[in-house]
Amino acid sequence: MRKIRVLVACGGGIATSTFAADEIGKIAKQIGVPVEISKHPLADVQAIGKEFDVCFVTSKYSRDIGCEVVSVGGLITGLDEEGATNKIKDALARANERINA
């Protein structure tokens, strides 16, 4: 089973993406999806997105980058954290099914 290549991006690619990456890693472990997580600034997403299976951003992002993009700002703000968690679970499950089916 290949690990799902996950990109986590925030404005600077440091603090917020670190928190989000930690939470996404925990969620992936809970649902049994193997992941390899990379953190980057949002400015890098367009150039490197096609190298990943799924991209989680902490703000809105609407460009096509060659993989699914999921906004998970709720993890950071606490507003609809459950909704953000469900979006993460769903996106990871879809990527895992696509890659490891």
Side-chain angles (χ1 to χ4, degrees):
M1 179 179 284
R2 177 169 79 70
K3 290 183 178 182
I4 304 306
R5 295 172 304 202
V6 174
L7 171 60
V8 179
C10 70
I14 301 171
T16 307
S17 62
T18 298
F19 175 78
D22 289 346
E23 293 300 308
I24 291 164
K26 290 176 191 174
I27 292 166
K29 188 173 183 177
Q30 288 173 353
I31 64 171
V33 174
V35 294
E36 179 179 300
I37 300 174
S38 296
K39 302 175 297 173
H40 287 271
L42 201 56
D44 292 351
V45 169
Q46 185 69 40
I48 64 173
K50 63 186 171 291
E51 300 172 19
F52 295 88
D53 301 310
V54 64
C55 174
F56 296 103
V57 295
T58 60
S59 60
K60 292 184 180 183
Y61 193 87
S62 59
R63 291 178 146 177
D64 180 12
I65 62 167
C67 73
E68 181 177 8
V69 177
V70 180
S71 178
V72 294
L75 281 181
I76 308 307
T77 65
L79 301 173
D80 195 23
E81 187 174 352
E82 183 178 342
T85 298
N86 288 335
K87 286 197 284 185
I88 293 164
K89 287 178 182 178
D90 292 345
L92 289 173
R94 281 191 300 274
N96 190 46
E97 187 174 306
R98 196 172 54 250
I99 302 305
N100 292 310

